[in-house]
Structure formats: C-alpha cells, structure tokens
Amino acid sequence: MKTTTDLQRRKLLKYTAIGIAGALAYPSWAEMGGLAKVNAASTDFLPDVEIELNMKPAEVAILNGEKTRVWKIIGKVISGPSGVLDNNDGTYLAPTLSFKKGQKVRLILNNNLPAQSILHWHGLHVPANMDGNPMYAINQGETYIYEFEILNRAGTYFYHSHAHGVTARQVYSGLAGLLIVSDDQEQALNLPSGDFDVPLVLQDRSFDGQNQLVYSAHMMQRMQGFLGDRILVNGRPDFVLPVATRAYRFRLVNGSNSRIYKLAWDDGTPITVIGVDGGLLAAPEHHPYVMLAPGERVDAWMDFSGRALGTELTLRSLPFDAAGHGGMGMMGGMGGGMMGGGGHRGMMGGGMGGMMSVSTLPSGSDYPIAKIRVAKKEQGEHSLPKTLTPITALQVKNAANADKPKTIALSMEHMSALLNGRSYKMDDVQPDEMIPVNSLQLIEFDNGFGGGMHSMMNMPHPMHMHGEQFQIVKREMSSRSSENYDTVAAGFINSGWKDTVLVMPGEKVTVLKPFNDFKGLFMYHCHNLEHEDLGMMRDFLIK
C-alpha cells in the first residue's frame, strides 16, 4: 500500500519532468495528466470573505491595434464586502485583493488554463499547504481552495503563479496581482487613501508586430533573466498619471521577471519612503533614489502641493552598474528580451528571433517609467507623519543559531543557478534546510563575498523567503566590488520588515527570520524568475 508521502514523491518527480518539458514546449505539456487534488472547503472554517478566482486565456488591448493574448485571473466575491476585489478590467493584471488584518479568507482557485498552475501569496504568513508550493499545482479543470487568516500587518503584498519550471512564463503571461492589507494602526495615521492611494505595478514586456507577447526560453536569456523593451505601469504603456496639488501614497511594486529599477524623480526631489515589503516603517526615510528588485515593494509619499498646474514630473530608472546583470560580462544583452521562443507560436508570439538580439532597454540604463502631471488644484492637509508604526527590532542574541549563521551561497556556473551548490529538486530537503518551528534564525546570503566569484557570472540576486518576513541585520561588500556597489548603495532601505532582499555581486546580506506557527515546506529562492525556473530555489522544512 502506498503512503501519502510515496504518492507525493511520485507526483513531485512527475511535475519536475513536466516542468522541464514545459520550459521547452509550453503550453503543450499541459495535456499531460496529474494526480487529482484532494482539497475541499473546511466545514469548521468560517470565512469573513470568500472569493472565487478563475484563471483563463483572454485578450486585452495593451497597444494600439490588435488585442494581446494573455492569461487572466477573473475574480468574483461570493461573500463579504464588494470592495475586497477589483478585477482591473481592461488590463492583464490579476485582481487587486484588499483585506484587513484578522479577516478569515477563503479563495477558490479554478484553473481553466491549458497548463498546470498554482498561486503563491508573496509575503503572507500562511500555513504551508496554503502558500502555493509547486507541489500543489492543479491541472486544467481542477480547483484548489485556500483558507487562511490574514496575520500580516498592513502593507502592499503580491501574488503570482508558482508553477514549477514555468513561473517566469506564467507571470509574464499575466498571472500576478496585488494584495493589499490594512489594519487599525495604519488607518489611525490618516494617510492618503482612495484616489490618492495609487498602486504602480512596474513590468517590462516585449511585443511582436501583431501586438503579441514575445518571450524566449533560450538558455542565454534564462541565465540573464528576461528584459523586455517596453515598460508597462499597471499593465499600460506610456503611463501618465494626472494628480491634484496634495499628498499621495504610491505603492511601487516590481512585478518584472528580472529587471531591477533604480527609481528617482527627474527633478531631484528625494523619494520619501514610508513602507517596504512588510508594511510601514517606524518613520519616513528620504533617499535620493530607491533600488527595487523583482518581488520587492516600496510605499512612497509624494506631496504635489505648491506645484503649478501643468507641471510634469517623471519617475525614471537611473543608470547603475549591476556588475553583470543584463550583461554577464561579455555576454551582455545576448539572447535578451527581443527573442521569440524557439518553435513556440500562438499565445506568446512566434519566431526564433536573433539569438544575438539585444534589449533596447538594458538593465542599469537610464529610461522613463511614468509621467506625473499636475492637473487639478485641491486644498487639504498634507503633513507627513514624523512617526508611522512601531517596529520591534529582532535581536541576534535571540537567534537559535546566533553563533553559527546559516549561510546560503548564491552562484551561477556551468549553465546552472545554485544555492549552496544545489539546484532545485522537489522532495530534496537536506539536513541544513531543516528548521525547528517557533525559532528565530540568523541567515546569510553570500553572493561571492567570500571569494570564488566567476567574472562572467557576477549577477545580483533578489532573494525571497516564503512564510514569515525577516529583518535585515547588515550588508557587507567585498572591496573588489565597491566601485559598482557605490552606484546602488544609497537606494537600499534596510529597515522594516522584508520578504525579498537584493544581494549584489560581492555582497553578503545577513538577516534575522522568524519561523513561527506553521510546520511544513517553505521555499526560498531567487526572485529573478528565470533564475528560479533554472533551479535557484530550495525548500526549508519547518519541523
């Protein structure tokens, strides 16, 4: 008689093979069968909010002319307040979900796509079987039911596909959206709300002559990470936002596959940061620019009072030296975002393209993101709070491994993306990846700080850990990389709660992460989605 573990192992091994096939011939691999999910609503779970989410192919107007084929998530509120969901009609973005801390949520995910898929609630502290591990991917025609309580503090969160081997392609197709949490502490601050609380989801895409998305699974592009040739904001090109002469809250979200942004106002106004991945900071911070890597979020305060009507301001990405990102030494730009997928046509665009194509927007270059136009006069209170929400600093002395940090070495070599020299395998937890539940762990992400860097493979890695969020303890940079680091260092926000941290080449970042409440598998990986699909992903087993 086969045990549940045996069945899971067989399923995981099968999904690994399917994921590899899918990376080469997507989405034809989805025709393959799979173990049906045994997943039903709990009779003892009484949700405050119940939402049905349907994933399906769709067409949306992104550019002038022919509509673009995408994969779209459409939501429907079954019970609870109607304001918890905005379908973002007319764009490819998944619905924006708005919850309050303490709410019990049931999300019914129906897969009507010709592929396996599953959604991960990026940044949320939820049980392991509700987190979107690829092992729970559902086939076309299947349903997965999520049930969890919103335990997170107020903040800007994110959700997206986490299907094994094809996360990058599925997110690129449209399977990603915002999840916004509020709480009493945040609401007491009377921050800009309603029309003055504006999400700005930043993504890059490439299109062919028929307005269809172009994506390549060519190895060079996978090693580099996808770089599109157009910047979209909230699913729109050439984004212009009319504003009033008052204060705004901008929720900046990097929803790109691999592109890193160095965000700044073109008139030199500092960026006032009031929140990061895990919600509001203890107090506002002012930065000349902000680095925003894939999966990271920043909440910024901007006051347009005193600016003349008709004034235009541009949010730009400024030049920086990523020491290999988007270039990888002499491989710079080869196989960039302009290529079509080998043998792949239809939804994602066709044609091989030139294997030596170069993105017209290389990483680290200077380009506009969005234009802000002062269009309306409005009087009101515009004072920035001096303090925001209290944050208790974690202490290294309280870590279970305070004297022996858990080191995770990041490397790319021999066409592999590795964590501690290991590529991703399902059901492959190693002894050093087993962590006691309800413990605080000291973890180091080492991106060549200790030496052994490969000059052709020096790349930044945005490292994301599922489950509870963490705090940054320190950043250390090797002297040989300091010149490159100087072009980005002032843009890191090292305070507050994080779930994704950008680790530059030659850098070691030390964090403190709690592993409270929930046992089971929780992933950690690079949030350059091509690197994740290439294998730069592992599981912690919380016991």
Side-chain angles (χ1 to χ4, degrees), residues 484-528:
N484 297 334
Y485 195 71
D486 288 344
T487 67
V488 299
F492 292 130
I493 298 101
N494 297 317
S495 49
W497 288 98
K498 297 279 293 173
D499 52 55
T500 307
V501 61
L502 180 59
V503 188
M504 297 297 290
E507 186 177 28
K508 180 169 68 176
V509 178
T510 304
V511 306
L512 277 167
K513 177 171 166 45
F515 290 84
N516 292 326
D517 305 323
F518 304 125
K519 296 182 180 181
L521 292 175
F522 289 91
M523 312 195 88
Y524 64 100
H525 59 84
C526 179
H527 218 279
N528 177 320

Side-chain angles (χ1 to χ4, degrees), residues 235-293:
R236 306 289 191 189
D238 307 317
F239 187 82
V240 178
L241 178 70
V243 299
T245 53
R246 54 153 295 152
Y248 279 74
R249 176 181 185 172
F250 292 132
R251 299 177 186 260
L252 295 156
V253 180
N254 188 341
S256 296
N257 280 29
S258 80
R259 184 177 293 277
I260 299 168
Y261 300 94
K262 180 179 177 179
L263 300 175
W265 297 112
D266 67 341
D267 68 347
T269 300
I271 291 188
T272 299
V273 178
I274 61 173
V276 289
D277 301 349
L280 295 175
L281 301 177
E285 296 184 10
H286 306 281
H287 293 259
Y289 57 85
V290 167
M291 300 302 299
L292 197 67

